[in-house]
């Protein structure tokens, strides 16, 4: 068995499912790296050309989830082609389909995809051994270096999206940074501020001091006292990955976590995270509050993922919601000047907002010259100049992952209305959320996909009233322990 393939205990060996097969196949593909490389075509190479032009004539393949940064890059590849002479084919897929494509490509040794959108949980953690260590290129004097180096990336992003277990290796460059924050109808909060304050006994204006209990009270107040919106709050509580994201904000705020040392397991990741801690009293308290919160939320919440929730908010159904910050651009297009953005409320332990960012990696299966050509694209795609252009793109563009971009004068101005870069209206909220004390990081473990399904399946029963918070958390912990036990050393 390859050293990087988790050992299985015979007592807990499960039937081999499609996900397990793909994971094992990818690991075997990585193990056969030396023999597999010959199957992929090389790259055009001219040793006498300038560093950015040495691979002119090469065609690279980039596989990505259909995200805003990739949409912006796909619409404006001409500057890269002009700079390098390299052509890039971009394939965009839904994330689960992407993960399967990448797994099969790595397992086959074909190296069809040179640059990979490496979701930390469905791609990077399961297949980390098959990706190139990017220090190989950054330290190569014959290749262009990253402007600002690795240190210019937001530190929490570089760990969460770029590393796995090893603090030194860099397997991906932070590429997008979707983060959950509090989005609210600032016009309604202003209109009813004094009445709410008098009725509730606290200042309802969203702030770093606002608690989840106060959020609940504000939501109920809107339910009972206004006609402009049907409900005070809405959530992405569909039986889907979005439900895990929505609940996790509350879990962390109440001091609960999925595993011991959750900060490390979420940041650097772990092959063996230990036993699940969702059965703890803090996790049960979080589940009790979440169940209570969903009872007063828009009933449509149970059918919404993040997109459905964003659409409901823009349609005027709800006064506020936790959602990913990059919906700001859509909010401002539909309700200009009416939306406010803040860090999510705090609980008894802390405030936390789910980080959903991803990096781009270079396939270790690809031949050496193709990897070097791929470095030019990864370098350019995450460069400050490219991120700034993407931020202003009319067809997409994510939020920068580099600290230097946030220091740009135009970006600083865009944090306040009027602005042509609406995602920057969320900058203060996301910067606060990205602090190590506030960032919410789900476990970065090879088997997270299965664990995620267990979490949102059990939570669906909780919000439907089919199980108590304690029973839900205990059942989820037991299911996760069975899943992770397959990877424990016997």
């Amino acid at each position: 068995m390859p050293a990087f393939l988790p050992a299985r205990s015979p007592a807990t060996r499960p039937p081999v499912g499609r996900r397990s097969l793909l994971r094992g196949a990818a690991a075997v593909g990585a193990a056969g790296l030396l023999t597999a490389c010959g199957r992929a075509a090389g790259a055009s190479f001219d040793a006498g050309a300038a560093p950015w032009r040495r691979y002119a004539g090469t065609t690279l393949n980039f596989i990505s989830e259909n995200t805003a940064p990739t949409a912006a890059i796909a619409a404006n590849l001409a500057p890269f082609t002009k700079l390098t002479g390299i052509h890039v084919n971009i394939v965009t897929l839904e994330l689960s389909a992407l993960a399967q494509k990448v797994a099969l490509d790595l397992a086959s040794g074909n190296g069809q995809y040179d640059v990979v959108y490496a979701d930390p949980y469905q791609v990077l953690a399961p297949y980390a051994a098959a990706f190139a260590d990017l220090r190989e290129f950054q330290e190569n004097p014959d290749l262009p270096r990253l402007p600002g180096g690795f240190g210019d990336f937001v530190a929490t992003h570089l760990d969460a999206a770029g590393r796995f277990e090893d603090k030194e290796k860099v397997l991906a460059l932070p590429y997008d940074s979707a983060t959950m924050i509090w989005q609210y109808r600032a016009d309604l909060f202003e209109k009813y501020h004094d009445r709410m304050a008098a009725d509730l006994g606290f200042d309802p204006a969203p702030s770093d001091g606002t608690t989840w209990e106060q959020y609940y009270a504000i939501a109920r107040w809107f339910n009972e006292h206004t006609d402009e919106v049907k409900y005070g709050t809405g959530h992405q509580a569909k039986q889907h990955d979005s439900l895990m994201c929505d609940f996790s904000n509350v879990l962390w705020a109440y001091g609960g976590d999925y595993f011991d040392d959750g900060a490390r397991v979420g940041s650097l990741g772990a092959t063996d995270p230990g036993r699940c801690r969702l059965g703890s009293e803090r996790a049960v308290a979080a589940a009790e509050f979440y169940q209570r919160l969903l009872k007063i939320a828009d009933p449509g919440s149970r059918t919404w993922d993040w997109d459905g929730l964003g659409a409901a908010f823009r349609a005027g159904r709800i006064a506020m919601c936790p959602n990913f910050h990059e919906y700001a651009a859509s909010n401002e297009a539909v309700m200009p000047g009416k939306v406010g953005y803040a860090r999510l409320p705090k609980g008894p332990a802390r405030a936390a907002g789910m980080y959903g960012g991803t990096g781009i990696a270079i396939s270790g299966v690809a031949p050496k010259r193709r990897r070097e050509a791929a470095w030019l694209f990864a370098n350019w795609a995450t460069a400050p100049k490219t991120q700034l252009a993407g931020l202003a793109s009319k067809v997409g563009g994510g939020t920068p992952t580099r600290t230097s971009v946030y220091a740009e004068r135009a970006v600083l101005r865009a944090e306040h209305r009027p602005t042509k870069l609406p995602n920057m209206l969320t900058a203060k909220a996301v910067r606060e959320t990205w602090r190590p004390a506030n960032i919410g990081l789900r476990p970065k473990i090879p088997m997270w996909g299965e664990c995620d399904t267990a979490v949102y399946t059990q939570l669906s029963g909780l919000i439907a009233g089919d199980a108590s918070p304690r029973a839900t958390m205990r059942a989820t912990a037991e299911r996760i322990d069975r899943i992770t036990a397959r990877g424990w050393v016997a």
Side-chain angles (χ1 to χ4, degrees):
M1 179 179 292
F4 45 76
L5 189 61
R8 293 174 182 265
S9 166
T12 59
R13 189 186 304 271
V16 178
R18 177 168 176 78
R19 184 183 299 275
S20 300
L21 179 64
L22 290 175
R23 181 179 300 121
V28 172
L33 202 62
L34 295 178
T35 58
C37 283
R39 302 177 189 172
S44 301
F45 179 69
D46 180 357
W52 281 101
R53 299 290 302 180
R54 286 177 181 161
Y55 303 89
T58 300
T59 297
L60 297 173
N61 296 313
F62 172 33
I63 187 169
S64 173
E65 186 181 7
N66 46 357
T67 62
T70 299
I73 283 175
N76 193 31
L77 273 171
F80 176 73
T81 302
K82 182 178 179 180
L83 174 67
T84 64
I86 296 172
H87 295 273
V88 181
N89 294 324
I90 299 179
V91 176
T92 58
L93 298 169
E94 184 271 331
L95 183 57
S96 61
L98 176 147
Q100 291 185 6
K101 286 274 191 182
V102 170
L104 291 171
D105 186 50
L106 297 175
S108 70
N110 289 335
Q112 179 182 357
Y113 303 114
D114 306 288
V115 183
V116 175
Y117 180 89
D119 176 82
Y121 316 98
Q122 294 197 44
V123 177
L124 186 66
Y127 315 125
F131 293 114
D133 182 351
L134 302 183
R135 295 177 301 172
E136 164 192 345
F137 313 109
Q138 175 71 352
E139 296 168 4
N140 186 336
D142 294 327
L143 294 172
R145 296 174 65 84
L146 290 167
F150 294 125
D152 189 36
F153 291 100
V154 177
T156 48
H157 296 189
L158 189 61
D159 283 345
R163 295 187 166 105
F164 184 67
E165 293 195 303
D166 190 327
K167 181 67 175 178
E168 300 303 318
K169 286 185 179 179
V170 180
L171 301 178
L173 299 178
Y175 179 67
D176 62 13
S177 57
T179 303
M180 290 187 76
I181 61 171
W182 185 355
Q183 304 181 28
Y184 61 95
R185 287 288 298 276
D187 58 334
L188 299 184
F189 271 73
E190 181 178 357
K191 178 179 180 179
Y192 293 110
H193 177 274
D194 293 345
R195 281 182 56 190
M196 278 197 286
D199 291 347
L200 298 174
F202 61 84
D203 186 349
S207 72
D208 288 348
T210 305
T211 67
W212 273 111
E213 286 289 355
Q214 290 173 332
Y215 182 99
Y216 174 92
I218 293 167
R220 189 170 60 180
W221 191 94
F222 272 107
N223 287 356
E224 298 171 354
H225 294 94
T226 66
D227 295 324
E228 285 96 336
V229 291
K230 290 184 177 180
Y231 293 92
T233 186
H235 295 265
Q236 46 190 268
K238 180 179 180 179
Q239 189 170 324
H240 177 271
D241 178 59
S242 58
L243 174 53
M244 178 279 301
C245 293
D246 198 59
F247 169 72
S248 294
N249 298 318
V250 176
L251 173 69
W252 294 317
Y254 273 71
D257 215 326
Y258 291 95
F259 299 99
D260 287 335
D261 199 4
R264 177 187 61 83
V265 175
S267 179
L268 288 181
T271 300
D272 178 4
R275 296 190 66 83
C276 181
R277 298 307 182 193
L278 285 180
S280 72
E281 290 303 312
R282 291 178 179 181
V284 171
E288 289 172 346
F289 173 78
Y290 190 72
Q291 184 184 55
R292 183 158 53 91
L293 179 62
L294 266 291
K295 286 180 178 178
I296 66 165
D298 189 318
S301 298
R302 298 181 190 179
T303 68
W304 296 334
D305 59 9
W306 38 74
D307 283 333
L309 177 59
F313 182 69
R314 293 190 300 274
R317 286 185 59 157
I318 54 181
M320 58 184 183
C321 63
N323 207 351
F324 289 102
H325 78 278
E326 292 177 343
Y327 283 98
S330 299
N331 293 342
E332 298 303 314
V334 176
M335 300 182 289
K338 294 183 178 181
V339 182
Y341 307 95
R343 194 194 69 188
L344 284 174
K346 64 181 183 179
R350 64 173 179 132
M354 171 64 75
Y355 169 76
T358 293
I360 54 174
I362 295 175
S363 171
V365 173
K368 178 177 183 291
R369 294 298 184 195
R370 292 193 66 83
R371 295 200 302 270
E372 292 173 349
W375 168 254
L376 299 188
F377 178 73
N379 187 334
W380 174 85
T382 60
K385 186 176 180 180
T386 306
Q387 292 197 351
L388 189 58
L391 188 59
S393 173
K394 299 299 183 184
V395 299
T399 305
T401 60
R402 286 178 169 273
T403 57
S404 61
V405 178
Y406 290 95
E408 292 277 349
R409 188 171 301 176
V411 175
L412 290 170
R413 285 199 302 266
E415 293 183 13
H416 308 281
R417 293 184 177 91
T419 180
K420 294 182 179 179
L421 308 176
N423 278 347
M424 285 300 95
L425 295 173
T426 69
K428 181 178 184 298
V430 295
R431 279 199 298 265
E432 284 298 315
T433 305
W434 292 339
R435 293 180 184 276
N438 300 330
I439 195 166
L441 298 171
R442 76 198 84 174
K444 189 165 59 176
I445 59 177
M447 61 292 290
W448 176 248
E450 293 175 82
C451 296
D452 183 15
T453 301
V455 172
Y456 65 68
T457 300
Q458 296 294 335
L459 287 174
S460 291
L462 170 72
I463 61 179
D466 296 336
S468 70
R470 187 173 298 278
T472 298
M473 291 294 97
R474 183 172 60 247
T476 308
E478 290 172 354
R479 175 60 182 150
I480 288 176
D481 280 341
R482 289 196 296 272
I483 293 168
T484 57
R486 302 174 199 161
W488 293 357
V489 177

